[in-house]
Amino acid sequence: MGARSLTGRRELLDAARAELTARPGVLFHGPPGIGKSLLVAALVAAVTAHAPCVGTVLHCSPAQEDAGLPFAGLVDLFTRVPESALELLAPEPRAALRAALLRGPEPADGRGRLAVRVAVLDVLRTLAATGPVVLVLDGLQWLDDFTAEVLAFAVRRLDGLDVRVVAAERVADGEQPERLRCCPPGTTELPVPPLADDEVARLVRAGIGADLPPGVLRAIQDAAAGNPLYALELGRAVALRGPERRVFGPALPVPRRLRALLLDEARTLPETARRTLLLASAAARPDLTLLRAAGLPDPAADLAQAERLGVATTDAGGTVRFRHPLVRAAVYADAAENDRRQAHALLARTITEPVEQARHLAHARPHEDEATARTLLAAAESARRDGALGAASELAGLAARRTPGDRPADRADRLLAAAEYACDAGQLQEAAEAAETVLAASGSARRRVRARLVLLRGAGQALEGAGALIQEGLRDAAGDPEAEAWLHHWAAVRGLLCGELTEAARHARRAARQAAVAGDTETRIGALATLARVRSLAGDPVAADIALKEALTLAGGADGGPQSWRLIRMRAILALDSDRVPEAREQVIELLARIGEFAGVEEVMATLVSLTRIQVRAGHCREALHTAARCSRAMPQAAPALYAAALAATAGGTAEEARHLAEQAVRASETDGDRLFLLRALAVRGQAGLLTGDPREAASAVEALQRVRELGTAMCAADPPLLHWYGDLAEALVLLGETDEAEAVVREARARTAGHTPGSVLAALERAEGLREAGTGRAKEGAARLRGAVDRLRQLPLPVELVRTLIALGAVERRSRRRSVARAVLGEALETATRIGAAPLAARARDELSRLDAGDRSGEAGAGGTGLTPTEARIAELVGGGATNREVAAKLFISVKTVEGTLSRVYRKVGVRSRTALAHAMAVAVIASGTAVESRDDGQADVPAQAVTVSRPSPTRTPPSSRHTPLT
């Protein structure tokens, strides 16, 4: 049984195995095609594989045509029962059973039915005496009545015998099995649920060995409604159809054998009822009012007949509902082509809503016709204005197909419109196919430029390899200022994502100039917005603000419509980076409400990512998780969505979840060549490694944050987030005991600060400096630095940063034996973290408080749990504090030789080789776990050591997952 067959069913199979261990039987039930037989086969295979002592497996799998044949099921079940088992029966039961199995003549008297029952029961008892017996009854609904009666008699009398039943029965959705009596009392009933959409996608991909366009896959998911058989059959039919015959509206190809399964009874309806069903299947929202308006004489009576056969029904409001979504598609596919056209023509005359009317008109006239094409294009533009992006793309594509062959320019324009609408809807594969068609066939340089712009949009964050596409476009655009402006703007965006900030600024300025010459205000606004982002990343907020204000003026201010959306978002991020968090939050929430469903998927995604960043900094940790989940639904495997999810997890999730998501975001960004989001993803990976304070995580945090430092330097970036990440790097280095390197990192960051450096950045650097001081044994100076950072953060709306700093201060104060101060500081950290939903930081604060409580109970720091004996711990603390072996011996009244021998054991346990390394390990333990360097009144240190293992895993790379329009 392959993994493909059991897609989405592993959990149910495991539950069935557990139930069959504890119960006498398991009965799977559900509609046709849901996967009952696969589960039966998998369960039986699992039982026999894990219990090789199973003696006998008796199997029957009746078909519909077997239902009227007496004892057909019993004949199948007893195929593997040896004749010797029958010879042990009494003469009368043996004769009756042999007759039922067609192995002998039927007894003359009328007691044969009872004799067969007794015989079957006795045979099962005989078989069970030699080993466990499994009865497999796959298809109880088709089991003949005679066999069903025999089994119902036998299974009630199997108590105490090692006989298990594995059965399956087909039932309608929501119904209960009717043949449960064929299973032993106590049998577990397991309904087989529909597959989730992602499971259907995996199943179809595995079944046809290829990916389908997202729109086509969505149509299959909707029609199959989680039924694996339906999904596989539809996927194969679509794959055979080829890309030139895409799925539009109800025209999903339903294979003939699937139609036969679904429409067996519907085909017996009168012609008028079948016509009513066809019209209902063709309509997007069928109801009795529409069907009457279309001229049907009595649709209610027709649908009543269909309801009696379980095909469709009408609810109290008159809405027509098919028994299953695929029944609707099957009814439509089963009709003759001419009948379908007539149905669409009738609906086109009846329906007044422009978009739906145009769609029916296209299906009623499936040939080239300019009037139809114009109507479809107008409807597409209307759908786009209404925010129906998918419908806009579909209708524009239909318009291109209906365009006469002698109008190639119009056809190309309509294909480009369909491609642009598809980009808006996130249908990138469909957009690319349309653009490639135009690029290959059009003789117009301007249209080829437009086609390349669609391909650039479709590349999403992966613009690193798009240089040739842009250069080819610039050659086509030569002499056309507007087209040149478009491409220079894309070159600027590519430079921004690839970390080529100087080139990005040059292209952005060129794009703005060319757009001004061409009078293209929209492109000019976009170029200025990109320039503002580049200057902000380069640490020049003044230049960024100038460019942003110019763009906003051109757009007509904040109320300038779609042209102002990106500018508002960028203004909010600049406010966020300047610690004006409430202002940023207000702007983005208002923007998200304003764009609603009218924006393209990229615009919505960019706004959601920005909102996630703001919510995390504002301490709205639970809200950040919800916003990040919306990002994941929009673009599940895109680097920006993964980054947002990882960032939200650092605030409101778990450290492990944050690490996992950040690593995915790093791989996706590397694959796309997107250095902008790679910086962010690496920074979140580093922050995730700092959440627990565990030195074992610090190594990977340092690795990630060192890459941030290197990338930032290569990009000449110097914006506030980057300087904040320098503080994180220094903190991680202190955890590893690399205090000198930490000092160098902080010095480098300090050199980049200026008068406009936000307070949050200064506080992050002060926190790193305070931890470094404490890590080198200067706890008093370290606490002072940390208190300064706390005071600074109390003036800012940054509760997550405040909690981080309070925890650091509380840990240092605790180790300095200032227990009451530590308790107050850590208590505030815990209360704040709990209130804002910062789960990882709340856990860290609780851990520090528990260490404080443990210290109070023991009266000393102790060496508990470190692996060092009290003597070893005391020697380690003195050596870590700088004492020589002779000084340690004198203080502890032991010999120098004893000190040397004990110190060797300490080195082994802590995992170091020198006194300097031991001092570093003690400092690490101070910051990381609270089990080291408790400052004492006598100036020495009370140091229970903790072994530190450092490993730096090499980064891994994965294949590309998803490509979307770039977010910056």
Side-chain angles (χ1 to χ4, degrees):
M1 188 60 54
R4 178 188 305 177
S5 303
L6 292 172
T7 298
R9 299 303 190 204
R10 291 291 179 184
E11 188 174 340
L12 182 59
L13 180 60
D14 290 343
R17 286 178 59 185
E19 289 295 327
L20 196 61
T21 301
R23 302 294 187 103
V26 167
L27 170 59
F28 297 105
H29 61 87
I34 202 68
K36 303 179 297 296
S37 294
L38 287 172
L39 283 164
V40 166
L43 180 56
V44 172
V47 169
T48 54
H50 289 83
C53 59
V54 170
T56 308
V57 178
L58 305 182
H59 187 282
C60 75
S61 183
Q64 185 174 4
E65 54 269 25
D66 300 334
L69 302 176
F71 295 118
L74 194 63
V75 170
D76 289 340
L77 276 176
F78 272 65
T79 298
R80 295 183 59 188
V81 175
E83 186 68 25
S84 58
L86 273 63
E87 294 298 331
L88 299 175
L89 297 172
E92 188 173 347
R94 181 173 66 248
L97 179 56
R98 286 176 57 79
L101 298 177
L102 303 180
R103 299 180 188 178
E106 185 174 355
D109 58 44
R111 295 186 297 175
R113 293 178 63 184
L114 177 59
V116 171
R117 290 163 171 72
V118 172
V120 168
L121 178 59
D122 285 345
V123 168
L124 292 177
R125 285 172 173 159
T126 299
L127 295 173
T130 62
V133 177
V134 179
L135 296 180
V136 183
L137 312 174
D138 184 12
L140 282 177
Q141 73 279 0
W142 304 130
L143 193 65
D144 63 274
D145 289 339
F146 289 87
T147 301
E149 290 171 2
V150 170
L151 288 175
F153 175 88
V155 296
R156 292 196 303 272
R157 294 164 171 82
L158 293 177
D159 191 31
L161 298 179
D162 195 356
V163 178
R164 296 284 189 275
V165 172
V166 178
E169 182 177 349
R170 177 188 297 184
V171 300
D173 284 318
E175 298 295 329
Q176 295 296 316
E178 297 180 356
R179 288 287 182 88
L180 184 60
R181 70 181 189 280
C182 297
C183 302
T187 290
T188 298
E189 301 176 56
L190 292 177
V192 184
L195 297 178
D197 280 350
D198 60 333
E199 293 166 344
V200 168
R202 289 200 299 273
L203 183 70
V204 171
R205 187 183 303 114
I208 67 175
D211 287 317
L212 291 174
V216 176
L217 178 60
R218 179 73 260 172
I220 290 173
Q221 290 168 329
D222 289 343
N227 188 297
L229 172 66
Y230 298 171
L232 277 173
E233 290 285 321
L234 292 173
R236 290 167 181 147
V238 168
L240 289 173
R241 213 180 216 205
E244 70 282 357
R245 298 178 63 198
R246 290 301 183 208
V247 177
F248 293 111
L252 193 68
V254 183
R256 188 183 302 275
R257 60 187 175 188
L258 203 53
R259 299 204 304 268
L261 174 67
L262 293 163
L263 303 179
D264 183 48
E265 294 184 319
R267 287 171 174 170
T268 66
L269 288 168
E271 183 179 349
T272 56
R274 294 201 303 274
R275 184 170 183 238
T276 297
L277 285 175
L278 173 59
L279 210 63
S281 73
R285 291 171 292 278
D287 59 26
L288 290 176
T289 301
L290 173 65
L291 296 177
R292 292 190 187 103
L296 297 183
D298 193 356
D302 294 336
L303 290 166
Q305 295 183 69
E307 184 172 2
R308 284 193 290 273
L309 296 180
V311 178
T313 185
T314 308
D315 65 18
T319 300
V320 179
R321 303 189 188 283
F322 286 89
R323 171 175 56 82
H324 189 280
L326 190 57
V327 173
R328 171 182 179 264
V331 166
Y332 184 88
D334 208 44
E337 176 66 24
N338 188 57
D339 291 341
R340 291 200 293 264
R341 291 184 193 178
Q342 289 180 6
H344 284 297
L346 201 57
L347 290 168
R349 291 195 296 269
T350 305
I351 292 170
T352 58
E353 194 277 316
V355 172
E356 189 64 20
Q357 184 184 56
R359 185 181 281 114
H360 287 299
L361 184 64
H363 288 293
R365 302 174 184 173
H367 50 266
E368 294 180 354
D369 178 74
E370 179 60 18
T372 302
R374 288 178 181 173
T375 300
L376 286 165
L377 190 62
E381 292 165 352
S382 174
R384 177 64 185 90
R385 287 192 298 273
D386 292 341
L389 307 178
S393 174
E394 175 194 340
L395 291 169
L398 285 170
R401 287 169 174 78
R402 299 298 182 266
T403 302
D406 59 357
R407 306 177 72 96
D410 288 336
R411 184 173 188 274
D413 285 338
R414 289 159 186 169
L415 269 177
L416 286 170
E420 289 161 357
Y421 294 152
C423 276
D424 290 340
Q427 298 170 355
L428 302 181
Q429 185 171 337
E430 291 89 336
E433 288 174 0
E436 291 284 8
T437 300
V438 174
L439 193 59
S442 179
S444 163
R446 189 176 176 87
R447 290 191 181 94
R448 290 198 301 272
V449 168
R450 287 181 61 195
R452 289 189 177 92
L453 295 180
V454 170
L455 296 175
L456 287 167
R457 285 187 69 185
Q461 305 299 118
L463 287 178
E464 185 176 32
L469 194 63
I470 293 172
Q471 291 304 314
E472 291 164 3
L474 283 169
R475 283 196 291 273
D476 268 342
D480 183 341
E482 185 178 36
E484 287 182 348
W486 295 340
L487 288 157
H488 278 295
H489 183 210
W490 273 101
V493 173
R494 178 185 176 276
L496 173 59
L497 291 180
C498 294
E500 301 163 0
L501 299 188
T502 303
E503 282 294 295
R506 182 176 69 82
H507 282 292
R509 293 189 186 98
R510 179 76 180 274
R513 288 196 300 269
Q514 292 295 86
V517 171
D520 182 355
T521 304
E522 183 177 353
T523 300
R524 187 179 174 193
I525 290 169
L528 287 168
T530 299
L531 179 60
R533 185 70 189 92
V534 171
R535 298 316 305 155
S536 169
L537 190 62
D540 190 352
V542 175
D545 190 56
I546 291 171
L548 188 57
K549 284 179 177 176
E550 183 181 351
L552 272 168
T553 300
L554 286 170
D559 297 324
Q563 292 184 352
S564 69
W565 291 346
R566 181 185 179 192
L567 307 176
I568 295 169
R569 187 171 60 248
M570 188 173 300
R571 188 173 63 179
I573 291 302
L574 291 177
L576 177 69
D577 290 346
S578 299
D579 295 340
R580 304 195 307 275
V581 181
E583 176 186 331
R585 180 174 179 271
E586 181 180 352
Q587 289 175 357
V588 171
I589 287 178
E590 182 181 340
L591 174 62
L592 194 59
R594 186 183 305 171
I595 66 178
E597 61 183 13
F598 299 103
V601 65
E602 309 102 332
E603 193 72 44
V604 174
M605 181 70 173
T607 307
L608 290 172
V609 171
S610 299
L611 182 57
T612 304
R613 292 178 60 189
I614 292 167
Q615 288 169 331
V616 167
R617 296 206 71 202
H620 300 156
C621 304
R622 301 178 187 90
E623 292 88 339
L625 289 171
H626 291 304
T627 304
R630 291 177 65 185
C631 293
S632 298
R633 288 194 294 271
M635 294 181 175
Q637 297 303 317
L642 292 165
Y643 156 75
L647 180 64
T650 64
T654 66
E656 182 179 359
E657 180 185 14
R659 285 193 299 272
H660 174 68
L661 289 166
E663 286 162 0
Q664 287 185 288
V666 167
R667 290 193 293 267
S669 300
E670 288 174 333
T671 299
D672 288 342
D674 178 355
R675 289 176 179 81
L676 187 59
F677 270 95
L678 178 58
L679 267 178
R680 296 173 182 172
L682 286 167
V684 175
R685 176 63 187 91
Q687 290 163 355
L690 290 171
L691 282 173
T692 62
D694 187 341
R696 290 168 295 185
E697 291 294 333
S700 57
V702 166
E703 181 179 11
L705 291 165
Q706 285 284 26
R707 288 189 66 193
V708 170
R709 183 187 184 187
E710 293 161 4
L711 277 170
T713 300
M715 293 168 62
C716 300
D719 62 341
L722 185 70
L723 297 179
H724 194 292
W725 300 332
Y726 271 54
D728 292 337
L729 172 58
E731 189 173 333
L733 287 166
V734 172
L735 270 174
L736 287 182
E738 299 178 16
T739 51
D740 291 343
E741 178 63 17
E743 183 180 18
V745 170
V746 173
R747 261 201 322 270
E748 183 181 335
R750 287 284 189 190
R752 297 189 179 201
T753 59
H756 53 72
T757 300
S760 60
V761 171
L762 299 176
L765 297 177
E766 287 167 350
R767 182 174 62 233
E769 288 168 334
L771 289 170
R772 180 193 170 277
E773 294 281 8
T776 56
R778 294 162 53 86
K780 188 175 297 185
E781 292 82 353
R785 293 267 191 175
L786 289 166
R787 280 194 291 272
V790 167
D791 291 341
R792 188 186 296 277
L793 288 167
R794 290 196 192 281
Q795 309 305 313
L796 299 172
L798 302 170
V800 172
E801 288 301 305
L802 177 60
V803 170
R804 279 186 67 180
T805 311
L806 286 169
I807 291 171
L809 175 59
V812 171
E813 295 285 27
R814 175 180 62 76
R815 297 179 200 113
S816 298
R817 297 294 184 87
R818 292 167 53 85
R819 300 187 186 280
S820 60
V821 175
R823 190 176 302 281
V825 171
L826 292 170
E828 180 186 353
L830 178 58
E831 186 279 326
T832 304
T834 302
R835 173 170 49 81
I836 67 176
L841 292 177
R844 179 86 181 276
R846 287 191 200 95
D847 185 54
E848 288 293 340
L849 283 167
S850 68
R851 296 177 191 278
L852 185 62
D853 292 337
D856 285 345
R857 288 192 297 271
S858 66
E860 58 177 288
T866 67
L868 298 182
T869 68
T871 299
E872 290 169 343
R874 186 65 174 142
I875 290 174
E877 74 183 64
L878 293 172
V879 171
T884 66
N885 288 2
R886 191 170 297 279
E887 289 169 341
V888 173
K891 190 168 185 67
L892 299 181
F893 303 102
I894 57 178
S895 69
V896 174
K897 187 174 181 179
T898 300
V899 173
E900 291 171 348
T902 304
L903 195 56
S904 297
R905 293 196 300 273
V906 170
Y907 285 169
R908 287 197 301 273
K909 290 184 177 182
V910 177
V912 297
R913 297 182 179 181
S914 68
R915 305 171 78 86
T916 302
L918 179 61
H920 277 306
M922 297 304 100
V924 168
V926 168
I927 297 163
S929 64
T931 59
V933 188
E934 298 283 1
S935 178
R936 292 162 51 104
D937 293 338
D938 61 7
Q940 297 296 330
D942 195 7
V943 188
Q946 177 175 346
V948 179
T949 302
V950 177
S951 61
R952 299 192 179 184
S954 300
T956 57
R957 298 178 183 271
T958 57
S961 53
S962 183
R963 304 288 174 87
H964 296 280
T965 300
L967 309 180
T968 59

